[in-house]
Structures are given as structure tokens and as C-alpha cells.
Amino acid sequence: MRMLINVPETVVADGLRGLAAAHPDLTVDVENRVIVRRDAPVAGQVALVSGGGSGHEPLHGGFVGPGMLSAACPGEVFTSPVPDQMARAAAAVDSGAGVLFIVKNYTGDVLNFDMAAELAEDEGVQVAKVLVNDDVAVTDSLYTAGRRGTGATLFVEKIAGAAAAEGQPLERVESIGRQVNENSRSFGVALSACTTPAKGSPTFELPDGELELGIGIHGEPGRERRPMMTSGEIADFAVNAIVEDMPPRNPVLALVNGMGATPLLELYGFNAEVQRALRERGVAVARTLVGNYVTSLDMAGASVTLCQADEELLRLWDAPVKTPALRWGM
Amino acid sequence: MRMLINVPETVVADGLRGLAAAHPDLTVDVENRVIVRRDAPVAGQVALVSGGGSGHEPLHGGFVGPGMLSAACPGEVFTSPVPDQMARAAAAVDSGAGVLFIVKNYTGDVLNFDMAAELAEDEGVQVAKVLVNDDVAVTDSLYTAGRRGTGATLFVEKIAGAAAAEGQPLERVESIGRQVNENSRSFGVALSACTTPAKGSPTFELPDGELELGIGIHGEPGRERRPMMTSGEIADFAVNAIVEDMPPRNPVLALVNGMGATPLLELYGFNAEVQRALRERGVAVARTLVGNYVTSLDMAGASVTLCQADEELLRLWDAPVKTPALRWGM
């Protein structure tokens, strides 16, 4: 167990204390586990609230700030937050313009956000929801009925967040969020398992020299296991899986995402192969983001997310954002 | 060997191709291994050139752009770039206002930047140099005579880059860079070794349950090896090592830097302990940056860098920057 922690029980709280210390623009309620942009509620703007298990940082807390999320609710590692967190967040950020919940499609998250919506609505907060389910690798898994929500979460949060920042109404922010999810597909591979602090040993056994194709972000099983492949072969496999599911209309936003432990040098090299694979299939790329954004603790590996983006989605993608993990134009 | 690569021989070139594809603001000469901001040379501004072995990404290529480096020269993994790269970079970015070389204190880098300076001066480029040697862990090592250059490189490149962007003259940009280095100290720990693509096996053996204190960024030996410590104990050890070497004058810039494979959740938790350790020693923190900035491939671990910053250095730190890895205000 090679972890930079105190004890497993305080990993999430310690992380929140450290987030608060580094980012004075955020208000972090460590006890209740709610991260809120300091200037919330923002008059006239729809508020965005997301959350999910910890261990995927910078998702979601690193995406809180102007132009993206209003609040995030971290659960225990790989465990859904509880409804009270999201209800508390909604109350803190609602300006009267309503709140959009952005929910990754895992059974616990879906149930708990549903309960939170009821709680918030009982308090007079208007709530809409976008479910993110972009992972083409598997339908149904250890944690999900239907497709899992992975990398597209970043696109939904950024683009819906930009629409909210422009003062667009709740139904419009919701429909943009849904459109982004429907236009997005992801595929990931693991070169190693990850180790949760509580368990202290890898979530599954992946022998050296093998990789798992179609992995999720919790160490749940993928689509198939194979002997190690080159970066180029992996890029072809991932891009094929995506474009077979969603035949390309141009152009796309591309996220080449690290699972946590793969060096940035390798991620950029993988991006070169993803771009080649897309070029060979006639898919034009409008924007590319490379880095560790939707992670799985110390898992080695990467995922590819593509989002078909029209002019309006591109414009919203390019709009200013100011969060710990994604920042431009401010 | 769990690497997302094609073959070890093309890792650096593949990474450069991927960098170019993701960042249209950069001009990347893959063959000659020079990364240049697209709008260089910028009239009236001193240009900053850095470089070093690959495997530390985003350092240095991820720091090229307005407000920071004008160009970066990546060598092979953990191997100095050759003088021709830096001379070529200097010629590409010099506006006539001169070029500042920012050199981490490793024997190969120092020699090769010296030769590059001669080459550039022969071509009529005025060159100044700042040597970065902030690591308090060891004097002399496998790669160094004197102290190693590690996390302070980011502070020197950002702050001197801001001074250059304001149009300050070469001697002033150089003296600011030197001041930042002299005001900075670092200390790092490894929870695992790293694996270079060429070698394919860990650079040293670190048994599970042990950590190496005072590690560099190349898997070279540290100060001592101990049984695993808590995040809080590590923070105390690192902060002690730094403040014993540089008694605190307030306030400091703090970089809590991941070595590559440590999850961001753990890094933020470590930051909480670093902030506590500083508070207990009466050190005020003006700004904190948490993330993977000066890495060592897939090494697990973290480093702490503190820079004593007066009002002027803080102002330059806060100035706008637009690079792949560090961006604000633009």
C-alpha cells in the first residue's frame, strides 16, 4: 500500500481541507461535504450541482467555479454522496432560477440525487436533472444499470455551466446538458487496477503484460482482457468502439483523459495516436483536452471521450471558466 | 511494464506530436525537439528558454506560452537536451531583447546550456542564465554537483516570464529569476520508484511499506529510507527540512507537487497537512498550487516547494499566463 494518507477513514475530509486551503474562491463545508463557489448564489443564473464518489479528482470539486459547477458533493471513495449533501448544496446555490443536477449513471448516485431533488423541491427549489451515460464499453455493470457515466461529465458540466453563466433558463440549460450527453461517447482502458484506501489492495488482479479494455472508473470489469497492446493499437480500438456506436458527424471535442497514474508524457503520446485514428476515419477535431480529469485513484490507463459539437456547443465550450482544474478566459 | 506507449524509442517524439495536436498555440518541431510559442519572437520582450530531460511533464513544454516560457527543449527521458536544441530555440524566439536560459542544476544540462549559450552568442543573441538548485535534500547526487533543481523551476519560469512579458530588460529578468531561485527550497518523497521506457523496470527497489525521503526527480537516491509514514508526518519532515535551511520570512508561495502517480485526492490531503505544518511554524502562505507539475514519470510521491515572496514577486506570480499546464487571467 503506497498511499500518501493519514488513515483511510479521513481521506475524503483531508482532501477537502487541502482543497479549501488551496482555493480561496471555494467555500468548503468539510463536515457536511459540500463544495460551493464562494459567490453563490449568483442572481439570475441557474445553478449546477454535481457529485459522486470520491477518487475521481479533479471531478467534481475541481470543476466548481464561475462558468462550470456551482457546487459539488463528494461521497466516500467510490461511494455515492447522500441526498442531504445535494439538498444542502441546492439550497446554498439556488438564486431562484433553479438548479440542474448532473448525475453520472451509477445506481447509488441516481437514487440519491432523486431523493435530493425531492428534498430540494419540498424547500421550493426548482430542480432539473441530466443523466450522464457515455461509456460505450459495457451496458450494465457492477455499479450500473445501463451505460456508465465517465468522461462526458466534464463536457456536460463545462458546456451547461457556460449556458447557465449566460443567464439561460433552467429548461434550456437542461436541454443543452442532455444534448451534450447524447452527443458524447467514451471508451477507457486500464493498464493497472486501482487501490482504494479502505481496501488497501488492488480492486482486481491485472497481471503485468495484460490490459483491460473497456474499463470503468471504479476498477469494475471491462469488456475484455488482452495481452499488452501499443498506444496506437489501443487508440484504434477505443476510437473504433466509439465511432461504431456514434457514426461521426463533424467536428468533435476530444478528451484524452488519464486514469490517474499514467505519466503525462504517455498521455500526450496516446493523444497523437487518437488524433491519427480519428483522422484516418474522417473525423475532424475542433478542440482537444489532454490530462487527468476523470480519474480512478492510482489506476494506470486512459480514456477517450468524443462529443459531437455544433457551433453553439463549441462557443459554450470556449466560454470563460475559472475552476481549480479547468480555467481559461478569466 | 505498464506503459501506454508504442516503442521506447519514440516516446518523446510521440509525446511531442500529441502536444502539437492539442495545443495550436504552440509550434512544435518534432524532429529537432523544440517547442515554441506560436507568436514568437515577441517584439520588445526578453525570451525565456528552458529544457531538460523528458519524463517531468508538464515541465517544461507545458509551460510554454504568453507570460511564461518562450520555448522549451525536451531531451530523451531523464537525459539532457543537446546544445543545438537550445541554440535553435534561442534563434527562434529572440526579438533582439535577449534570451534567458533557465537551467536545472544537473551536470548534463549545465554543460549543454553553456555550450548552447556560446552558439547563440556567436549568432549575435544576448544570453543570460539562471541556475535552479532548490532541493535541500542532498548536495551532490548521481546527476548533480551541488543541489538539484526541482519544483522551484516552475516558480522561476512563471515569475521571470511575467517580468519578461512586462517588457523588463534582460538583466532585470535574470535578477528576478535568480532571486526566485535563491528564495526557494524544495523537499520530496517517493512512495514508489519510477520506470523509464528504455529500462522497463523500476529505477530502484523500494519495498512496499517503505518510503524514500529526499528523493529527486529521476529516481536517484534520497536522503534516507524509512518505514511508511503518515501524510502528516511526511509534511512535518518536508517542512522541517525546508525551514531549517531557509528560516521563514513571510509570506510564501507553496507548491504541493505530485510526482506523477499519486492521486489528486491524496495530494490535496497532503496539502492540508503541509498547510498545518506551516501554520504551526508561523509561516504564512500567500498562494498555494496543488497538482502534478514537476513529475518523475510514474513515481508515486510528492514534493513541497516554498518560495519567499515579497509584494513584487507575488504581483508577478498573479500576472496573466496562458500555457497548457498553467493558465489564468487569459
Side-chain angles (χ1 to χ4, degrees), chain B residues 7-207:
Chain B
V7 291
E9 293 72 23
T10 66
V11 163
V12 174
D14 290 348
L16 289 174
R17 289 191 296 124
L19 186 76
H23 302 289
D25 286 353
L26 302 179
T27 300
V28 180
D29 181 340
V30 177
E31 190 184 342
N32 293 302
R33 299 192 175 184
V34 180
I35 302 158
V36 179
R37 56 182 277 194
R38 187 168 288 279
D39 59 353
V42 181
Q45 291 186 13
V46 169
L48 271 63
V49 173
S50 191
S54 292
H56 307 301
E57 290 69 22
L59 183 84
H60 298 269
F63 298 149
V64 176
M68 211 160 167
L69 294 180
S70 310
C73 305
E76 271 303 309
V77 171
F78 295 173
T79 303
S80 172
V82 296
D84 182 56
Q85 289 172 262
M86 289 79 93
R88 191 181 289 266
V93 299
D94 181 36
S95 68
V99 175
L100 181 69
F101 284 173
I102 297 171
V103 187
K104 301 196 301 302
N105 188 33
Y106 299 98
T107 310
D109 291 291
V110 171
L111 282 171
N112 287 327
F113 270 99
D114 278 350
M115 287 178 61
E118 288 176 24
L119 292 172
E121 282 160 353
D122 286 348
E123 300 296 318
V125 178
Q126 195 187 354
V127 176
K129 273 173 284 183
V130 172
L131 193 70
V132 183
N133 61 347
D134 54 309
D135 186 352
V136 301
V138 295
T139 50
D140 303 339
S141 78
L142 201 56
Y143 296 85
T144 343
R147 287 181 167 181
R148 302 176 292 215
T150 59
T153 316
L154 181 150
F155 289 144
V156 172
E157 294 179 358
K158 170 66 183 78
I159 292 172
E166 290 183 349
Q168 300 203 36
L170 182 58
E171 55 270 36
R172 176 73 185 134
V173 176
E174 177 191 5
S175 76
I176 288 173
R178 282 183 201 273
Q179 184 193 354
V180 172
N181 178 61
E182 284 159 15
N183 287 8
S184 296
R185 299 291 188 277
S186 294
F187 192 90
V189 302
L191 309 189
S192 80
C194 57
T195 300
T196 61
K199 184 156 183 279
S201 60
T203 47
F204 62 98
E205 285 302 317
L206 186 55

Side-chain angles (χ1 to χ4, degrees), chain A residues 1-6 11-12 14-15 17-19 21-23 54-55 57-58 77 191-192 206-210 228-232 234 260-273 275 288 290 297-298 300-302 324 327-330, chain B residues 1-6 11-12 14-15 17-19 21-23 54-55 57-58 77 191-192 206-210 228-232 234 260-273 275 288 290 297-298 300-302 324 327-330:
Chain A
M1 192 164 110
R2 301 180 184 278
M3 290 182 187
L4 187 54
I5 65 174
N6 287 318
V11 164
V12 174
D14 289 348
R17 288 192 295 125
L19 186 75
H23 303 288
S54 292
E57 290 69 22
V77 170
L191 310 189
S192 80
L206 185 55
D208 214 28
E210 296 188 15
M228 194 57 202
M229 295 157 66
T230 66
S231 169
I234 294 169
T262 287
L264 195 55
L265 177 61
E266 295 179 23
L267 274 187
Y268 272 112
F270 182 53
N271 179 50
E273 295 297 338
Q275 302 283 334
T288 301
V290 179
L297 292 171
D298 62 341
R327 186 166 174 180
W328 54 73
M330 291 189 184
Chain B
M1 190 165 112
R2 302 179 183 279
M3 290 183 187
L4 186 56
I5 64 172
N6 287 317
V11 163
V12 174
D14 290 348
R17 289 191 296 124
L19 186 76
H23 302 289
S54 292
E57 290 69 22
V77 171
L191 309 189
S192 80
L206 186 55
D208 213 28
E210 295 189 15
M228 194 59 201
M229 295 157 67
T230 67
S231 169
I234 295 170
T262 287
L264 195 55
L265 177 61
E266 294 178 24
L267 274 187
Y268 273 113
F270 183 53
N271 178 50
E273 296 296 338
Q275 302 283 334
T288 302
V290 179
L297 291 172
D298 62 340
R327 185 167 173 180
W328 53 74
M330 293 188 182

Side-chain angles (χ1 to χ4, degrees), chain A residues 105-107 110 131 133 139-148:
Chain A
N105 189 34
Y106 299 97
T107 310
V110 172
L131 193 70
N133 61 347
T139 50
D140 303 339
S141 79
L142 200 57
Y143 294 85
T144 345
R147 286 181 167 181
R148 301 176 292 214

Side-chain angles (χ1 to χ4, degrees), chain A residues 165-242:
Chain A
E166 290 184 349
Q168 301 204 35
L170 182 58
E171 55 270 35
R172 176 72 185 137
V173 176
E174 177 191 6
S175 75
I176 287 172
R178 283 183 201 274
Q179 184 194 353
V180 172
N181 178 60
E182 284 160 15
N183 287 8
S184 297
R185 298 290 186 280
S186 294
F187 192 90
V189 302
L191 310 189
S192 80
C194 57
T195 300
T196 61
K199 187 159 182 279
S201 60
T203 49
F204 61 98
E205 284 304 317
L206 185 55
D208 214 28
E210 296 188 15
L211 86 170
E212 182 103 18
L213 293 158
I215 196 75
I217 55 176
H218 303 91
E220 63 268 47
R223 189 189 275 195
E224 65 180 292
R225 189 167 289 188
R226 288 203 187 177
M228 194 57 202
M229 295 157 66
T230 66
S231 169
E233 290 165 345
I234 294 169
D236 281 319
F237 196 98
V239 168
N240 273 343
I242 290 172

